[in-house]
Amino acid sequence: MSAEKRAPLTRAPAHPSVQAPARATQAPSPLGANPELEHLSKLYRQMLLIRRVEEESARGYAEGKIGGFLHLYIGQEAVGVGAIASLRPDDYVITTYRDHGIALAKGMSPRALLAELFGKVTGCSRGLGGSMHMFDKEHHMLGGYGIVGGHIPIAAGVAFASKYRGDGRVTLCFFGEGAVSIGGFHEGMGLAALWKLPIVFICENNEYAMGTPISRSMSVEDVSLKALGYGMDRDRFFADDVLEVERRIGEAVQRAREQGTPTLVEVRTYRFRGHSMSDPAKYRTQAELEEHKNRDPLARARRRLVESGLGEPGDPRLDDLEKSVEAEVADAVKFAHESPEPGLDVLEQSTYSGPFAY
Amino acid sequence: MIEEMDRDDRVFLMGEEVGHYQGAYKVSEGMLEKFGPKRVIDTPIAEAGFAGVGIGAAIVGLRPIIEFMTWNFSAVAFDQILNNAAKMRQMSGGQLECPIVFRGPNASARQVGSQHSHAMEHIYAHVPGLKVVAPAFPADAKGLLKAAVRDDNPVLVMESETLYGFKGDVPEGEHVVALGKAQIVRAGKDITIAAYARTTHVALEAAATLERAGVSAEVVDLRSLRPLDDNTLVASVERTHRLVVVHEGWPYGGVGAEIADRVQRLAFDALDGPILRVTTLDVPMPYSAKLELACMPQPDRVVATVLRALGREQS
């Protein structure tokens, strides 16, 4: 615990340039007089930011700037943004490897995220983690994890610590429906229910575990039924409306915070891209994809803003908001391109706290 | 554990049977009464679950002690230890520490068969990000555990079921044994025998027999397997010029192979003969008492191996 034992890596503050210039990160406030619309515009901006960062990620992958696995969040933005909107800033979030959108929604800067994807030392995990390991301790984003279901007991442990300390924090644990069949899900759920931990388990059911539809992998179609065996509260809904996601997850968060009990929430969503960049998604029809794209929660939120008066001819507010997102993403891409790669010196420092144990 | 829990309220004990039952081997006897159910936590039989809970608690600032009823059962929590505890610091770019202790009895335990007799230290010592210790004496069991609890990394403490009844002096109060320091438990000049945990006692017994045969064997108790104190080993071999390594667990890979690699690299000119190993035989552990004893490293096999290393093979 003593500071002098720590390797220089942890003593060093986060790279000072990870945070973009303040003007780019500040969401404009186009609707100051209408708190509800202002809130929706803020969530819309987050969703748009995620969509655009993911599109740039896909481009970076195609250009060979990003290696390894890349699992995009496009289509699912309303889940992460809506759920995290219901939290306090000091609440914890932990998720699986489809983690870019969740990390951005929890407050990670696009600079830190894209630099990580580009394998740069300015990335959130100094280029050591990559796409699947988005960690941001400052924002209580406790990572993306690459082993399906393996992070679910960890999430229960984070919530255990909150209960142990009585800090009043809630943990959100995201995972896909593909994780529901593995042991980690059941052990994490069982312990959270047994010990009454302040946690919300959010199953992002995007219908396909890689390319296998849920009908071929589970004996029940309703994932939320899994809560029954643990005596846990449950909920189930579609993620068409980001505000509805916020409200419904918010109920579970409130239950966790006030009563200290866990909830399993199945949020039904859809990814517009393949499982990862190497997946052309031939296991589903174009018609099915189009049907879901017509329900795009991002477009829905935008329509609502337009219908509320933004974006009328001569009204620059929506346009300004979208331009600010473009500027922020362009800044982050440039930052990621220009940042240096990590040196070999980070390897041993990052493996152990203190001297390397050989 | 009691002293460390008194010292630091972030430390808690979690595992199967640790509370209400007072510990499967009575290691935690009385702790539930002293600390209450908040800090001495019985779990269901769910090693992957409670190992993961410990890791989650550790990354947000608590300092868990997770007990495996035996290390054999850590196999179902292997993913948590390998992929999460060991990697947390690296994959978070140094943002998150994982100060956690996993402990429990390891290796052979008298006729419990192949699934309950694993020497798991070889597997875990392979993994960067973990530390692994294996005490042979009660004082070191205390001192190494204290050091493990205070370390900011995941530390795996390999106790020995067959040593739980072993009696020895234990210093009162603040007695911390630094991780990564071997000790010479018997001085000698003809050959070095490196061992740890139960096999340290096997080596000492063999050394006593060898003395009667005119061989002066030095016994090095490693105590810590990762980090491994190769300085003490090399210094000993530079005096004795020969080395035999004794451990439970199979010969393929493992701690003995690692020591053989290091010593031949670091003390090649000092060696007068090949480094030999005495390990559990390369088969799953049998139930039969006779066969089990034959599989495990025994003093007579150590004696024979030492004589072979000295070129004085028994006829």
Side-chain angles (χ1 to χ4, degrees), chain A residues 1 10 124-126 135 137 145 150 154 157 160-161 164-165 187 191 349-350 352-353 357-358, chain B residues 9-10 38-39 46 49 53 60 63 80 89 91 93-95 97 129-130 152-153 226 228:
Chain A
M1 285 304 290
T10 46
C124 64
S125 298
R126 292 173 196 258
F135 286 81
K137 186 178 181 186
Y145 294 79
I154 294 182
F160 174 90
Y164 188 94
R165 283 193 287 239
E187 296 194 22
L191 294 172
Q349 293 171 19
S350 64
Y352 288 96
S353 177
Y358 168 64
Chain B
D9 62 12
R10 297 170 301 174
K38 180 186 165 189
R39 298 182 68 197
V53 164
V60 293
R63 303 182 81 84
Q80 289 297 335
R89 186 175 157 82
M91 67 187 175
Q95 293 182 79
E97 310 277 16
L130 303 179
D152 286 338
N153 299 284
R226 188 177 186 121
L228 182 67

mmCIF file of all heavy atoms in Angstrom, chain A residues 1 10 124-126 135 137 145 150 154 157 160-161 164-165 187 191 349-350 352-353 357-358, chain B residues 9-10 38-39 46 49 53 60 63 80 89 91 93-95 97 129-130 152-153 226 228:
data_model
loop_
_atom_site.group_PDB
_atom_site.id
_atom_site.type_symbol
_atom_site.label_atom_id
_atom_site.label_comp_id
_atom_site.label_asym_id
_atom_site.label_seq_id
_atom_site.Cartn_x
_atom_site.Cartn_y
_atom_site.Cartn_z
ATOM 1 N N MET A 1 0.818 -1.211 0.000
ATOM 2 C CA MET A 1 0.000 0.000 0.000
ATOM 3 C C MET A 1 0.855 1.265 0.000
ATOM 4 O O MET A 1 0.437 2.299 -0.464
ATOM 5 C CB MET A 1 -0.891 0.050 1.238
ATOM 6 C CG MET A 1 -2.074 -0.879 1.183
ATOM 7 S SD MET A 1 -3.081 -0.585 -0.274
ATOM 8 C CE MET A 1 -3.783 1.013 0.142
ATOM 9 N N THR A 10 2.467 3.488 -11.707
ATOM 10 C CA THR A 10 1.258 3.948 -11.037
ATOM 11 C C THR A 10 1.450 5.315 -10.419
ATOM 12 O O THR A 10 0.495 6.005 -10.158
ATOM 13 C CB THR A 10 0.814 2.967 -9.935
ATOM 14 O OG1 THR A 10 1.952 2.608 -9.185
ATOM 15 C CG2 THR A 10 0.176 1.750 -10.531
ATOM 16 N N CYS A 124 -6.178 4.391 -22.469
ATOM 17 C CA CYS A 124 -6.631 4.253 -21.083
ATOM 18 C C CYS A 124 -5.815 3.202 -20.344
ATOM 19 O O CYS A 124 -5.555 3.339 -19.157
ATOM 20 C CB CYS A 124 -8.124 3.912 -21.042
ATOM 21 S SG CYS A 124 -8.529 2.324 -21.790
ATOM 22 N N SER A 125 -5.425 2.151 -21.023
ATOM 23 C CA SER A 125 -4.624 1.098 -20.393
ATOM 24 C C SER A 125 -3.222 1.059 -20.993
ATOM 25 O O SER A 125 -2.584 0.008 -21.054
ATOM 26 C CB SER A 125 -5.325 -0.255 -20.534
ATOM 27 O OG SER A 125 -6.577 -0.249 -19.874
ATOM 28 N N ARG A 126 -2.761 2.217 -21.418
ATOM 29 C CA ARG A 126 -1.394 2.405 -21.928
ATOM 30 C C ARG A 126 -1.052 1.496 -23.093
ATOM 31 O O ARG A 126 0.100 1.074 -23.269
ATOM 32 C CB ARG A 126 -0.384 2.213 -20.789
ATOM 33 C CG ARG A 126 -0.527 3.340 -19.797
ATOM 34 C CD ARG A 126 0.305 3.161 -18.562
ATOM 35 N NE ARG A 126 -0.199 4.079 -17.550
ATOM 36 C CZ ARG A 126 0.387 5.227 -17.232
ATOM 37 N NH1 ARG A 126 1.490 5.579 -17.809
ATOM 38 N NH2 ARG A 126 -0.152 6.009 -16.331
ATOM 39 N N PHE A 135 -10.371 0.305 -19.173
ATOM 40 C CA PHE A 135 -10.403 0.603 -17.736
ATOM 41 C C PHE A 135 -10.227 2.107 -17.545
ATOM 42 O O PHE A 135 -9.387 2.719 -18.197
ATOM 43 C CB PHE A 135 -9.243 -0.093 -17.014
ATOM 44 C CG PHE A 135 -9.414 -1.582 -16.843
ATOM 45 C CD1 PHE A 135 -9.130 -2.458 -17.886
ATOM 46 C CD2 PHE A 135 -9.843 -2.110 -15.637
ATOM 47 C CE1 PHE A 135 -9.274 -3.830 -17.721
ATOM 48 C CE2 PHE A 135 -9.993 -3.478 -15.461
ATOM 49 C CZ PHE A 135 -9.701 -4.340 -16.508
ATOM 50 N N LYS A 137 -10.133 4.108 -14.011
ATOM 51 C CA LYS A 137 -10.325 4.099 -12.560
ATOM 52 C C LYS A 137 -10.970 5.403 -12.084
ATOM 53 O O LYS A 137 -11.836 5.390 -11.213
ATOM 54 C CB LYS A 137 -8.968 3.897 -11.883
ATOM 55 C CG LYS A 137 -9.043 3.727 -10.383
ATOM 56 C CD LYS A 137 -7.663 3.486 -9.789
ATOM 57 C CE LYS A 137 -7.777 3.287 -8.283
ATOM 58 N NZ LYS A 137 -6.434 3.182 -7.672
ATOM 59 N N TYR A 145 -13.767 -7.192 -20.010
ATOM 60 C CA TYR A 145 -13.109 -8.477 -19.766
ATOM 61 C C TYR A 145 -13.359 -9.414 -20.939
ATOM 62 O O TYR A 145 -14.457 -9.440 -21.490
ATOM 63 C CB TYR A 145 -13.614 -9.098 -18.465
ATOM 64 C CG TYR A 145 -13.208 -8.271 -17.262
ATOM 65 C CD1 TYR A 145 -13.906 -7.115 -16.918
ATOM 66 C CD2 TYR A 145 -12.105 -8.617 -16.500
ATOM 67 C CE1 TYR A 145 -13.518 -6.334 -15.837
ATOM 68 C CE2 TYR A 145 -11.702 -7.849 -15.423
ATOM 69 C CZ TYR A 145 -12.416 -6.708 -15.090
ATOM 70 O OH TYR A 145 -12.018 -5.935 -14.021
ATOM 71 N N GLY A 150 -16.716 -14.258 -17.097
ATOM 72 C CA GLY A 150 -15.698 -14.250 -16.045
ATOM 73 C C GLY A 150 -15.745 -13.025 -15.152
ATOM 74 O O GLY A 150 -15.308 -13.063 -14.001
ATOM 75 N N ILE A 154 -16.660 -10.978 -10.425
ATOM 76 C CA ILE A 154 -15.894 -9.792 -10.024
ATOM 77 C C ILE A 154 -16.851 -8.648 -9.707
ATOM 78 O O ILE A 154 -16.686 -7.929 -8.720
ATOM 79 C CB ILE A 154 -14.909 -9.383 -11.134
ATOM 80 C CG1 ILE A 154 -13.859 -10.469 -11.306
ATOM 81 C CG2 ILE A 154 -14.258 -8.045 -10.809
ATOM 82 C CD1 ILE A 154 -12.810 -10.130 -12.357
ATOM 83 N N GLY A 157 -18.178 -9.003 -6.475
ATOM 84 C CA GLY A 157 -17.171 -8.642 -5.480
ATOM 85 C C GLY A 157 -17.060 -7.138 -5.277
ATOM 86 O O GLY A 157 -16.849 -6.666 -4.151
ATOM 87 N N PHE A 160 -19.930 -6.354 -3.274
ATOM 88 C CA PHE A 160 -19.636 -6.846 -1.914
ATOM 89 C C PHE A 160 -18.833 -5.797 -1.147
ATOM 90 O O PHE A 160 -19.105 -5.511 0.026
ATOM 91 C CB PHE A 160 -18.859 -8.166 -2.009
ATOM 92 C CG PHE A 160 -18.367 -8.692 -0.693
ATOM 93 C CD1 PHE A 160 -19.148 -9.549 0.065
ATOM 94 C CD2 PHE A 160 -17.123 -8.328 -0.192
ATOM 95 C CE1 PHE A 160 -18.700 -10.036 1.285
ATOM 96 C CE2 PHE A 160 -16.661 -8.794 1.025
ATOM 97 C CZ PHE A 160 -17.450 -9.651 1.766
ATOM 98 N N ALA A 161 -17.827 -5.215 -1.829
ATOM 99 C CA ALA A 161 -16.998 -4.194 -1.170
ATOM 100 C C ALA A 161 -17.841 -2.975 -0.787
ATOM 101 O O ALA A 161 -17.632 -2.385 0.272
ATOM 102 C CB ALA A 161 -15.844 -3.789 -2.086
ATOM 103 N N TYR A 164 -19.680 -3.981 2.247
ATOM 104 C CA TYR A 164 -18.709 -4.115 3.355
ATOM 105 C C TYR A 164 -18.382 -2.749 3.938
ATOM 106 O O TYR A 164 -18.304 -2.559 5.134
ATOM 107 C CB TYR A 164 -17.454 -4.790 2.788
ATOM 108 C CG TYR A 164 -16.390 -5.203 3.793
ATOM 109 C CD1 TYR A 164 -16.370 -6.499 4.310
ATOM 110 C CD2 TYR A 164 -15.385 -4.327 4.180
ATOM 111 C CE1 TYR A 164 -15.380 -6.905 5.190
ATOM 112 C CE2 TYR A 164 -14.392 -4.723 5.065
ATOM 113 C CZ TYR A 164 -14.393 -6.014 5.572
ATOM 114 O OH TYR A 164 -13.406 -6.407 6.444
ATOM 115 N N ARG A 165 -18.196 -1.776 3.046
ATOM 116 C CA ARG A 165 -17.816 -0.432 3.484
ATOM 117 C C ARG A 165 -19.010 0.461 3.778
ATOM 118 O O ARG A 165 -18.856 1.525 4.373
ATOM 119 C CB ARG A 165 -16.955 0.237 2.407
ATOM 120 C CG ARG A 165 -15.540 -0.248 2.362
ATOM 121 C CD ARG A 165 -14.710 0.696 1.511
ATOM 122 N NE ARG A 165 -15.031 0.510 0.124
ATOM 123 C CZ ARG A 165 -14.146 0.154 -0.801
ATOM 124 N NH1 ARG A 165 -12.896 -0.028 -0.474
ATOM 125 N NH2 ARG A 165 -14.503 -0.010 -2.041
ATOM 126 N N GLU A 187 -22.813 -18.405 -10.675
ATOM 127 C CA GLU A 187 -22.159 -18.238 -9.375
ATOM 128 C C GLU A 187 -22.224 -16.775 -8.929
ATOM 129 O O GLU A 187 -22.462 -16.485 -7.759
ATOM 130 C CB GLU A 187 -20.714 -18.754 -9.448
ATOM 131 C CG GLU A 187 -20.682 -20.254 -9.714
ATOM 132 C CD GLU A 187 -19.329 -20.906 -9.481
ATOM 133 O OE1 GLU A 187 -18.503 -20.355 -8.734
ATOM 134 O OE2 GLU A 187 -19.104 -21.998 -10.049
ATOM 135 N N LEU A 191 -24.354 -15.654 -5.569
ATOM 136 C CA LEU A 191 -23.727 -15.000 -4.423
ATOM 137 C C LEU A 191 -24.326 -13.616 -4.191
ATOM 138 O O LEU A 191 -24.531 -13.199 -3.041
ATOM 139 C CB LEU A 191 -22.203 -14.907 -4.635
ATOM 140 C CG LEU A 191 -21.472 -16.263 -4.652
ATOM 141 C CD1 LEU A 191 -20.019 -16.100 -5.047
ATOM 142 C CD2 LEU A 191 -21.578 -16.964 -3.303
ATOM 143 N N GLN A 349 6.919 -3.183 -15.299
ATOM 144 C CA GLN A 349 6.258 -2.281 -14.341
ATOM 145 C C GLN A 349 4.773 -2.581 -14.196
ATOM 146 O O GLN A 349 4.196 -2.430 -13.129
ATOM 147 C CB GLN A 349 6.366 -0.832 -14.807
ATOM 148 C CG GLN A 349 7.748 -0.252 -14.809
ATOM 149 C CD GLN A 349 7.754 1.101 -15.502
ATOM 150 O OE1 GLN A 349 6.710 1.734 -15.651
ATOM 151 N NE2 GLN A 349 8.915 1.542 -15.923
ATOM 152 N N SER A 350 4.164 -2.963 -15.293
ATOM 153 C CA SER A 350 2.708 -3.118 -15.255
ATOM 154 C C SER A 350 2.285 -4.498 -14.770
ATOM 155 O O SER A 350 1.116 -4.735 -14.519
ATOM 156 C CB SER A 350 2.115 -2.856 -16.640
ATOM 157 O OG SER A 350 2.572 -3.833 -17.549
ATOM 158 N N TYR A 352 3.614 -6.318 -12.023
ATOM 159 C CA TYR A 352 3.515 -6.381 -10.562
ATOM 160 C C TYR A 352 3.527 -4.980 -9.980
ATOM 161 O O TYR A 352 4.151 -4.070 -10.530
ATOM 162 C CB TYR A 352 4.712 -7.134 -9.963
ATOM 163 C CG TYR A 352 4.704 -8.626 -10.196
ATOM 164 C CD1 TYR A 352 5.407 -9.178 -11.246
ATOM 165 C CD2 TYR A 352 3.984 -9.465 -9.356
ATOM 166 C CE1 TYR A 352 5.410 -10.552 -11.470
ATOM 167 C CE2 TYR A 352 3.981 -10.841 -9.563
ATOM 168 C CZ TYR A 352 4.686 -11.376 -10.624
ATOM 169 O OH TYR A 352 4.669 -12.732 -10.826
ATOM 170 N N SER A 353 2.899 -4.823 -8.855
ATOM 171 C CA SER A 353 3.102 -3.654 -8.024
ATOM 172 C C SER A 353 4.409 -3.882 -7.275
ATOM 173 O O SER A 353 4.572 -4.908 -6.618
ATOM 174 C CB SER A 353 1.933 -3.535 -7.048
ATOM 175 O OG SER A 353 2.149 -2.446 -6.186
ATOM 176 N N ALA A 357 8.390 -9.953 -9.841
ATOM 177 C CA ALA A 357 8.569 -11.217 -9.112
ATOM 178 C C ALA A 357 8.960 -12.302 -10.102
ATOM 179 O O ALA A 357 8.133 -12.776 -10.867
ATOM 180 C CB ALA A 357 7.285 -11.594 -8.379
ATOM 181 N N TYR A 358 10.250 -12.661 -10.097
ATOM 182 C CA TYR A 358 10.758 -13.639 -11.059
ATOM 183 C C TYR A 358 11.295 -14.848 -10.320
ATOM 184 O O TYR A 358 12.006 -14.688 -9.350
ATOM 185 C CB TYR A 358 11.851 -12.997 -11.912
ATOM 186 C CG TYR A 358 12.658 -13.952 -12.751
ATOM 187 C CD1 TYR A 358 12.054 -14.693 -13.775
ATOM 188 C CD2 TYR A 358 14.018 -14.130 -12.531
ATOM 189 C CE1 TYR A 358 12.805 -15.575 -14.557
ATOM 190 C CE2 TYR A 358 14.767 -14.990 -13.304
ATOM 191 C CZ TYR A 358 14.154 -15.715 -14.311
ATOM 192 O OH TYR A 358 14.890 -16.578 -15.074
ATOM 193 N N ASP B 9 -8.751 -3.295 8.900
ATOM 194 C CA ASP B 9 -10.159 -3.733 8.778
ATOM 195 C C ASP B 9 -10.581 -3.959 7.333
ATOM 196 O O ASP B 9 -11.722 -4.344 7.071
ATOM 197 C CB ASP B 9 -11.115 -2.767 9.498
ATOM 198 C CG ASP B 9 -11.080 -1.372 8.924
ATOM 199 O OD1 ASP B 9 -10.494 -1.177 7.840
ATOM 200 O OD2 ASP B 9 -11.627 -0.457 9.577
ATOM 201 N N ARG B 10 -9.678 -3.743 6.386
ATOM 202 C CA ARG B 10 -9.988 -4.091 4.993
ATOM 203 C C ARG B 10 -9.783 -5.585 4.729
ATOM 204 O O ARG B 10 -10.155 -6.104 3.689
ATOM 205 C CB ARG B 10 -9.084 -3.297 4.030
ATOM 206 C CG ARG B 10 -9.280 -1.792 4.101
ATOM 207 C CD ARG B 10 -8.205 -1.067 3.314
ATOM 208 N NE ARG B 10 -6.872 -1.393 3.832
ATOM 209 C CZ ARG B 10 -5.728 -0.995 3.279
ATOM 210 N NH1 ARG B 10 -5.755 -0.242 2.198
ATOM 211 N NH2 ARG B 10 -4.578 -1.339 3.795
ATOM 212 N N LYS B 38 -19.563 -10.494 9.085
ATOM 213 C CA LYS B 38 -19.187 -9.523 8.049
ATOM 214 C C LYS B 38 -17.776 -9.804 7.530
ATOM 215 O O LYS B 38 -17.486 -9.578 6.361
ATOM 216 C CB LYS B 38 -19.245 -8.102 8.624
ATOM 217 C CG LYS B 38 -18.860 -7.034 7.606
ATOM 218 C CD LYS B 38 -18.772 -5.650 8.222
ATOM 219 C CE LYS B 38 -18.029 -4.706 7.282
ATOM 220 N NZ LYS B 38 -17.719 -3.416 7.884
ATOM 221 N N ARG B 39 -16.902 -10.287 8.421
ATOM 222 C CA ARG B 39 -15.496 -10.428 8.023
ATOM 223 C C ARG B 39 -15.021 -11.873 7.956
ATOM 224 O O ARG B 39 -13.893 -12.126 7.531
ATOM 225 C CB ARG B 39 -14.601 -9.618 8.974
ATOM 226 C CG ARG B 39 -14.915 -8.131 8.935
ATOM 227 C CD ARG B 39 -14.014 -7.342 9.831
ATOM 228 N NE ARG B 39 -12.628 -7.346 9.349
ATOM 229 C CZ ARG B 39 -11.585 -7.014 10.103
ATOM 230 N NH1 ARG B 39 -11.771 -6.674 11.371
ATOM 231 N NH2 ARG B 39 -10.377 -7.028 9.592
ATOM 232 N N ALA B 46 -18.680 -22.838 -4.576
ATOM 233 C CA ALA B 46 -18.678 -22.051 -5.813
ATOM 234 C C ALA B 46 -17.339 -21.343 -5.919
ATOM 235 O O ALA B 46 -17.255 -20.126 -5.816
ATOM 236 C CB ALA B 46 -19.836 -21.049 -5.800
ATOM 237 N N GLY B 49 -16.956 -18.484 -8.255
ATOM 238 C CA GLY B 49 -17.732 -17.345 -7.794
ATOM 239 C C GLY B 49 -17.038 -16.586 -6.689
ATOM 240 O O GLY B 49 -16.830 -15.379 -6.781
ATOM 241 N N VAL B 53 -15.346 -12.924 -6.516
ATOM 242 C CA VAL B 53 -15.808 -11.910 -5.554
ATOM 243 C C VAL B 53 -14.606 -11.300 -4.835
ATOM 244 O O VAL B 53 -14.511 -10.081 -4.658
ATOM 245 C CB VAL B 53 -16.807 -12.527 -4.552
ATOM 246 C CG1 VAL B 53 -16.999 -11.618 -3.342
ATOM 247 C CG2 VAL B 53 -18.150 -12.780 -5.240
ATOM 248 N N VAL B 60 -11.213 -2.731 -5.730
ATOM 249 C CA VAL B 60 -11.762 -1.469 -5.213
ATOM 250 C C VAL B 60 -11.315 -1.209 -3.771
ATOM 251 O O VAL B 60 -11.917 -0.415 -3.069
ATOM 252 C CB VAL B 60 -13.307 -1.391 -5.353
ATOM 253 C CG1 VAL B 60 -13.683 -1.315 -6.817
ATOM 254 C CG2 VAL B 60 -13.996 -2.565 -4.671
ATOM 255 N N ARG B 63 -8.840 -6.082 1.063
ATOM 256 C CA ARG B 63 -7.699 -6.996 1.011
ATOM 257 C C ARG B 63 -8.149 -8.388 1.454
ATOM 258 O O ARG B 63 -7.907 -8.823 2.589
ATOM 259 C CB ARG B 63 -6.558 -6.462 1.892
ATOM 260 C CG ARG B 63 -6.129 -5.057 1.482
ATOM 261 C CD ARG B 63 -4.975 -4.529 2.291
ATOM 262 N NE ARG B 63 -3.691 -5.022 1.833
ATOM 263 C CZ ARG B 63 -3.004 -4.474 0.820
ATOM 264 N NH1 ARG B 63 -3.479 -3.450 0.157
ATOM 265 N NH2 ARG B 63 -1.844 -4.976 0.465
ATOM 266 N N GLN B 80 -10.427 -17.414 -12.961
ATOM 267 C CA GLN B 80 -10.396 -16.190 -12.159
ATOM 268 C C GLN B 80 -8.959 -15.817 -11.779
ATOM 269 O O GLN B 80 -8.571 -14.647 -11.821
ATOM 270 C CB GLN B 80 -11.247 -16.350 -10.884
ATOM 271 C CG GLN B 80 -12.742 -16.378 -11.147
ATOM 272 C CD GLN B 80 -13.264 -15.076 -11.745
ATOM 273 O OE1 GLN B 80 -12.678 -14.015 -11.562
ATOM 274 N NE2 GLN B 80 -14.351 -15.159 -12.479
ATOM 275 N N ARG B 89 -3.670 -5.894 -13.194
ATOM 276 C CA ARG B 89 -2.803 -4.724 -13.220
ATOM 277 C C ARG B 89 -2.347 -4.413 -14.646
ATOM 278 O O ARG B 89 -2.397 -3.269 -15.084
ATOM 279 C CB ARG B 89 -1.598 -4.978 -12.310
ATOM 280 C CG ARG B 89 -0.712 -3.779 -12.152
ATOM 281 C CD ARG B 89 0.395 -4.059 -11.147
ATOM 282 N NE ARG B 89 1.493 -3.152 -11.401
ATOM 283 C CZ ARG B 89 1.536 -1.896 -10.956
ATOM 284 N NH1 ARG B 89 0.584 -1.450 -10.195
ATOM 285 N NH2 ARG B 89 2.545 -1.117 -11.264
ATOM 286 N N MET B 91 -3.696 -5.403 -17.624
ATOM 287 C CA MET B 91 -4.693 -5.041 -18.637
ATOM 288 C C MET B 91 -5.394 -3.721 -18.316
ATOM 289 O O MET B 91 -6.054 -3.160 -19.190
ATOM 290 C CB MET B 91 -5.696 -6.176 -18.885
ATOM 291 C CG MET B 91 -6.615 -6.534 -17.774
ATOM 292 S SD MET B 91 -7.556 -8.038 -18.247
ATOM 293 C CE MET B 91 -8.452 -8.332 -16.728
ATOM 294 N N GLY B 93 -3.495 -1.220 -17.483
ATOM 295 C CA GLY B 93 -2.403 -0.270 -17.658
ATOM 296 C C GLY B 93 -1.851 0.235 -16.341
ATOM 297 O O GLY B 93 -1.374 1.360 -16.258
ATOM 298 N N GLY B 94 -1.936 -0.594 -15.303
ATOM 299 C CA GLY B 94 -1.417 -0.210 -14.000
ATOM 300 C C GLY B 94 -2.401 0.566 -13.139
ATOM 301 O O GLY B 94 -2.056 0.999 -12.040
ATOM 302 N N GLN B 95 -3.629 0.726 -13.618
ATOM 303 C CA GLN B 95 -4.599 1.509 -12.834
ATOM 304 C C GLN B 95 -5.118 0.750 -11.622
ATOM 305 O O GLN B 95 -5.392 1.336 -10.582
ATOM 306 C CB GLN B 95 -5.794 1.894 -13.699
ATOM 307 C CG GLN B 95 -5.489 2.874 -14.807
ATOM 308 C CD GLN B 95 -6.752 3.219 -15.580
ATOM 309 O OE1 GLN B 95 -7.565 4.015 -15.152
ATOM 310 N NE2 GLN B 95 -6.923 2.592 -16.725
ATOM 311 N N GLU B 97 -4.882 -2.311 -8.751
ATOM 312 C CA GLU B 97 -4.096 -3.307 -8.024
ATOM 313 C C GLU B 97 -5.040 -4.445 -7.631
ATOM 314 O O GLU B 97 -6.253 -4.248 -7.499
ATOM 315 C CB GLU B 97 -3.521 -2.708 -6.730
ATOM 316 C CG GLU B 97 -2.797 -1.380 -6.899
ATOM 317 C CD GLU B 97 -1.364 -1.550 -7.339
ATOM 318 O OE1 GLU B 97 -1.013 -2.647 -7.804
ATOM 319 O OE2 GLU B 97 -0.603 -0.579 -7.217
ATOM 320 N N GLY B 129 2.502 -12.152 -12.767
ATOM 321 C CA GLY B 129 1.400 -11.424 -12.131
ATOM 322 C C GLY B 129 1.029 -12.042 -10.801
ATOM 323 O O GLY B 129 0.413 -11.392 -9.970
ATOM 324 N N LEU B 130 1.410 -13.304 -10.598
ATOM 325 C CA LEU B 130 1.132 -13.988 -9.335
ATOM 326 C C LEU B 130 2.427 -14.127 -8.541
ATOM 327 O O LEU B 130 3.520 -14.156 -9.097
ATOM 328 C CB LEU B 130 0.561 -15.388 -9.581
ATOM 329 C CG LEU B 130 -0.715 -15.485 -10.413
ATOM 330 C CD1 LEU B 130 -1.114 -16.955 -10.571
ATOM 331 C CD2 LEU B 130 -1.846 -14.686 -9.783
ATOM 332 N N ASP B 152 0.768 -5.923 -2.349
ATOM 333 C CA ASP B 152 -0.257 -5.342 -3.226
ATOM 334 C C ASP B 152 -0.540 -6.188 -4.463
ATOM 335 O O ASP B 152 -1.248 -5.743 -5.372
ATOM 336 C CB ASP B 152 0.172 -3.933 -3.654
ATOM 337 C CG ASP B 152 0.017 -2.936 -2.523
ATOM 338 O OD1 ASP B 152 -0.768 -3.219 -1.600
ATOM 339 O OD2 ASP B 152 0.695 -1.890 -2.549
ATOM 340 N N ASN B 153 0.020 -7.386 -4.507
ATOM 341 C CA ASN B 153 -0.201 -8.293 -5.639
ATOM 342 C C ASN B 153 -0.977 -9.524 -5.181
ATOM 343 O O ASN B 153 -1.050 -9.800 -3.985
ATOM 344 C CB ASN B 153 1.155 -8.742 -6.199
ATOM 345 C CG ASN B 153 1.976 -7.567 -6.694
ATOM 346 O OD1 ASN B 153 1.710 -7.025 -7.760
ATOM 347 N ND2 ASN B 153 2.955 -7.149 -5.909
ATOM 348 N N ARG B 226 7.779 -17.995 -6.359
ATOM 349 C CA ARG B 226 7.766 -16.841 -7.264
ATOM 350 C C ARG B 226 7.450 -15.623 -6.432
ATOM 351 O O ARG B 226 6.316 -15.525 -5.964
ATOM 352 C CB ARG B 226 6.725 -17.023 -8.379
ATOM 353 C CG ARG B 226 6.851 -15.923 -9.425
ATOM 354 C CD ARG B 226 5.901 -16.109 -10.565
ATOM 355 N NE ARG B 226 6.193 -15.093 -11.555
ATOM 356 C CZ ARG B 226 6.546 -15.317 -12.814
ATOM 357 N NH1 ARG B 226 6.609 -16.544 -13.259
ATOM 358 N NH2 ARG B 226 6.798 -14.337 -13.635
ATOM 359 N N LEU B 228 11.556 -16.348 -6.863
ATOM 360 C CA LEU B 228 12.427 -17.457 -6.468
ATOM 361 C C LEU B 228 13.805 -16.901 -6.134
ATOM 362 O O LEU B 228 14.370 -16.153 -6.924
ATOM 363 C CB LEU B 228 12.511 -18.450 -7.636
ATOM 364 C CG LEU B 228 13.337 -19.711 -7.441
ATOM 365 C CD1 LEU B 228 12.708 -20.625 -6.396
ATOM 366 C CD2 LEU B 228 13.453 -20.465 -8.767
#
